[in-house]
Amino acid sequence: MLQYILKRLLLMLPTLFGVLLVSFVVIQFVPGGPVEQMVYQLKGRGAAESAGNTSAGTGAYQAARGLSDEQLTQIKTQYGFDKPAPERFWLMLKSYVSFDLGESWFRHASVVDLIREKLPVSMSLGISSLLLTYLIAVPLGVAKAVRHGSRFDWVTTFGLLVAYAIPSFVLGVVLLVLFGGGSFWQLFPLRGLTSDGWESLSMAGKVMDYVWHLVLPVTAMVVGGFASLTFLTKNSFLEEINKQYVTTARAKGATEQRIFWRHILRNAALPLVVGLPEAIIGAFFTGSLLIETLFSLDGLGLLSYESVLRRDYPVVLGTLYFFTLIGLLGKLLSDLAYVLLDPRVQFGRVGEGQ
């Protein structure tokens, strides 16, 4: 087991290197980088000054026409583009080894501080949606497996397919119109995670206010997300129900409850539990851009989107490195959970012909 863990940890290194290398190379060819944006900004400022004051002198006209080589060199040095691309990539890797993710060019804060600032919003959405998804999907999937082929199974399947087909963003708009004071009822807040005067509320009041703000965005995320988990649960339990050992247990006179709790549940729940560590990590660190934008939630999804638009490369590459590392660790934890839950799996024997 220890040998397998060490191998997986070592395999993370080329994976991280490949992700960063491809992203860094792509960034070099993306137009409208920070240098170009600063040049356009200075040109526009100079043009506005020269248009507003015709006697401004040669400085305004110089800015309106273009920038000098010295000014361009200063801008490139400011953003680190005075060095060749291989050197910049090497310096980035050296800083990432010590988890120094750099500093944002436009927000004037370290990438680590930005992630720490935006993380609570994404965690609130992710953890709440994950809990609701499992609490709804797993019991529903078990009920569908037990009642396979019944009217309940067909009706719920149709409902799940409809829910799966509705994009979360569209559902969020519908929920805002219906329950956010659009054209019908104003039952839930439109934006944010807290109300005005939240600091003056009691602890119970703060919790209730926070949960009240989460209802609409979490609902929009959950409705289209638990269909796949429900079908996975149903298929997993249905496969175990139809196996020979269940028929044998029934022939020996075992009750249905005993068969379900002692035999079926342990084997059928294996795929669900194995994917739980990765799902939990994803819930902690994954932001939903569309939901955060729609409900004015300043989380990781909105941070990543704005960083791409503004070509804030330290934030783009730093968050990509961090999330890739977290995702690889989640995969490793899922594999380890599989070994702990199923003793038939022995990673140490892989490659030995057994």
Side-chain angles (χ1 to χ4, degrees), residues 46-60:
E49 291 175 357
S50 62
N53 184 8
T54 56
S55 61
T58 58

Side-chain angles (χ1 to χ4, degrees), residues 154 157 216 249 276 279:
W154 286 105
T157 298
L216 292 186
L276 192 57

Side-chain angles (χ1 to χ4, degrees), residues 9-325:
L9 292 175
L10 290 176
L11 286 175
M12 291 182 186
L13 299 179
T15 303
L16 283 172
F17 178 82
V19 170
L20 292 175
L21 178 61
V22 172
S23 302
F24 185 85
V25 171
V26 170
I27 281 176
Q28 307 309 307
F29 299 97
V30 175
V35 175
E36 289 83 356
Q37 291 189 22
M38 181 61 69
V39 169
Y40 295 152
Q41 182 180 351
L42 293 176
K43 282 184 178 182
R45 185 184 306 168
E49 291 175 357
S50 62
N53 184 8
T54 56
S55 61
T58 58
Y61 290 106
Q62 174 71 18
R65 289 193 301 266
L67 300 177
S68 64
D69 294 337
E70 182 180 354
Q71 289 174 310
L72 287 174
T73 302
Q74 291 178 354
I75 295 174
K76 290 181 179 180
T77 303
Q78 177 183 351
Y79 294 112
F81 284 90
D82 56 324
K83 303 180 180 64
E87 183 179 354
R88 287 186 279 118
F89 182 70
W90 172 247
L91 292 175
M92 183 188 72
L93 291 181
K94 287 173 59 178
S95 63
Y96 281 6
V97 170
S98 59
F99 287 94
D100 179 11
L101 304 183
E103 185 172 344
S104 171
W105 288 336
F106 299 99
R107 297 175 182 265
H108 306 292
S110 67
V111 178
V112 175
D113 290 339
L114 288 175
I115 294 176
R116 188 183 298 115
E117 177 186 351
K118 311 298 183 183
L119 189 58
V121 176
S122 297
M123 284 178 56
S124 301
L125 293 174
I127 295 176
S128 301
S129 60
L130 177 66
L131 289 176
L132 280 178
T133 298
Y134 269 81
L135 289 176
I136 296 174
V138 174
L140 180 59
V142 174
K144 287 174 63 63
V146 174
R147 299 172 176 84
H148 177 64
S150 64
R151 179 179 297 178
F152 170 82
D153 184 30
W154 286 105
V155 171
T156 53
T157 298
F158 176 78
L160 288 171
L161 293 177
V162 172
Y164 185 74
I166 301 176
S168 59
F169 183 77
V170 175
L171 180 60
V173 173
V174 173
L175 292 176
L176 283 177
V177 172
L178 291 178
F179 305 110
S183 303
F184 296 90
W185 306 281
Q186 189 172 0
L187 301 179
F188 299 97
L190 285 172
R191 62 187 67 236
L193 288 179
T194 56
S195 303
D196 296 334
W198 183 78
E199 294 79 5
S200 61
L201 298 175
S202 63
M203 181 57 66
K206 290 181 178 180
V207 173
M208 291 299 299
D209 183 75
Y210 202 82
V211 172
W212 202 242
H213 281 76
L214 282 174
V215 170
L216 292 186
V218 170
T219 301
M221 293 178 65
V222 168
V223 167
F226 69 87
S228 57
L229 183 60
T230 302
F231 287 123
L232 174 63
T233 304
K234 175 192 173 181
N235 294 333
S236 180
F237 275 82
L238 195 61
E239 181 181 359
E240 296 298 324
I241 290 174
N242 294 326
K243 284 188 175 180
Q244 184 63 38
Y245 72 88
V246 175
T247 305
T248 303
R250 286 171 178 164
K252 292 182 178 180
T255 62
E256 291 296 330
Q257 289 187 350
R258 181 180 177 85
I259 294 174
F260 179 83
W261 292 106
R262 293 289 299 274
H263 302 284
I264 297 176
L265 180 63
R266 179 180 178 181
N267 296 321
L270 186 60
L272 306 178
V273 179
V274 166
L276 192 57
E278 187 178 356
I280 292 176
I281 292 179
F284 269 85
F285 299 102
T286 302
S288 177
L289 168 62
L290 297 178
I291 297 299
E292 291 178 9
T293 303
L294 179 62
F295 292 93
S296 300
L297 304 176
D298 193 9
L300 293 175
L302 191 58
L303 171 66
S304 302
Y305 176 70
E306 292 179 348
S307 300
V308 171
L309 288 183
R310 302 188 68 178
R311 305 298 191 266
D312 198 346
Y313 296 149
V315 178
V316 174
L317 291 172
T319 53
L320 178 65
Y321 167 76
F322 180 72
F323 296 148
T324 303
L325 181 60

